[in-house]
Amino acid sequence: MSDRRVVIAIDGPAASGKSSTAQWVARRLSYFHVDSGSLYRAATAAQLGHGSDSDAWSEPDVLAATNRVSFAATGGEFAPLIDGARCDDELRSPEVTRAVSRVAQMPRVRDWVNAQVRRAAESHDVVVDGRDIGTVVLPEADLKVFLVADPWERARRRLIQRLGRHPNDHEIAEETDLIVHRDAKDATQTVQATDAVLIDTTSLTQEDQVERIVALARAVTQRPSDTSAVDDGPANT
Ligand code: CDP
């Protein structure tokens, strides 16, 4: 094994379980979790203070807003800070989710996110989740996984995560529409690398998908050590 840092890339469409899976896999392997989407969300949240009509936002304005965002290693993950403070709930707000795909279309914002992610991967073993990590950001990743799931199932999971209860069919149908809409807006950058392992999680438990990825990671890195004996899963799935 060389001294080169290990990179595991987990890509896939909206609400396919990338972030919670990546977080759990990172813990199992004692790697750092890097959520690239959280950086697009942080840029969006920073810009929202200047007005909520995202159609009126210009690329230079959003780039200026990124000056308020830093990306710091803390407790096994890289997390965005706005003006030096954690803002995890704000990043998942409906306002941010509505506007983030527009921000993610801005090439210089993408360059900014990619630079943060590459810097993290230079200094740490990482599990990075996003949409274009295996194709554009870190194409030399040691393992690439592309997670997909049926839109209805993705909507159901996202609502359980957000509401903390089982949603009804009407709620799931509404959320499915939003997810399919965001899939369409994000389609250009959501690309499965030719050497990625495709995992359809529609009928898998999260534990199953984590186990599969950990096994694949062990096979490519040949590092037997992990912390599974003391880990009981991610804090917020
Ligand atoms: O978890 P979820 O799929 O809802 O979204 P996310 O991973 O937090 O990403 C939020 C948004 O950032 C996506 O809808 C994309 O527009 C954008 N994104 C991207 O373009 N490229 C990435 N590598 C990651 C996120």
Side-chain angles (χ1 to χ4, degrees):
M1 191 79 208
S2 75
D3 285 345
R4 194 174 77 76
R5 295 297 188 173
V6 179
V7 175
I8 297 170
I10 302 182
D11 288 308
S16 55
K18 304 176 301 283
S19 290
S20 49
T21 301
Q23 184 184 37
W24 196 344
V25 170
R27 284 193 195 172
R28 286 286 304 274
L29 298 169
S30 297
Y31 292 1
F32 276 69
H33 175 213
V34 179
D35 174 359
S36 61
S38 71
L39 283 163
Y40 290 103
R41 287 176 180 275
T44 306
Q47 177 61 25
L48 267 172
H50 300 282
S52 58
D53 178 10
S54 60
D55 287 336
W57 295 352
S58 72
E59 189 172 40
D61 287 345
V62 179
L63 263 188
T66 65
N67 288 326
R68 294 172 48 209
V69 180
S70 54
F71 200 42
T74 162
E77 62 174 351
F78 276 78
L81 308 178
I82 301 181
D83 299 327
R86 286 289 286 258
C87 44
D88 303 18
D89 290 344
E90 190 184 345
L91 298 189
R92 289 267 152 208
S93 72
E95 293 76 23
V96 169
T97 301
R98 255 195 305 277
V100 65
S101 295
R102 171 159 162 73
V103 165
Q105 301 304 322
M106 297 174 173
R108 285 192 289 157
V109 177
R110 298 199 74 79
D111 290 345
W112 172 77
V113 169
N114 296 349
Q116 310 293 318
V117 171
R118 289 182 184 126
R119 194 170 46 79
E122 269 166 26
S123 51
H124 297 75
D125 294 328
V126 287
V127 183
V128 187
D129 74 276
R131 283 167 173 71
D132 56 351
I133 306 304
T135 48
V136 173
V137 186
L138 295 164
E140 304 299 320
D142 301 83
L143 171 66
K144 301 177 189 178
V145 174
F146 198 80
L147 288 185
V148 293
D150 177 79
W152 182 272
E153 178 59 18
R154 288 189 273 145
R156 196 183 67 82
R157 291 176 188 166
R158 184 54 45 107
L159 284 169
I160 291 174
Q161 181 184 45
R162 189 185 310 141
L163 304 175
R165 62 166 170 82
H166 285 279
N168 61 41
D169 282 1
H170 176 70
E171 289 170 322
I172 301 175
E174 271 186 359
E175 186 69 19
T176 302
D177 279 352
L178 292 176
I179 283 180
V180 168
H181 189 61
R182 194 145 60 93
D183 281 352
K185 287 208 251 176
D186 291 339
T188 322
Q189 68 261 29
T190 311
V191 182
Q192 183 184 344
T194 50
D195 52 349
V197 179
L198 177 70
I199 302 181
D200 185 335
T201 73
T202 305
S203 51
L204 291 181
T205 65
Q206 191 169 45
E207 196 170 0
D208 287 340
Q209 71 206 40
V210 168
E211 286 311 321
R212 282 196 194 186
I213 297 170
V214 168
L216 289 166
R218 286 212 193 103
V220 296
T221 62
Q222 296 178 333
R223 285 185 179 184
S225 66
D226 72 32
T227 56
S228 56
V230 292
D231 182 37
D232 57 2
N236 53 348
T237 56

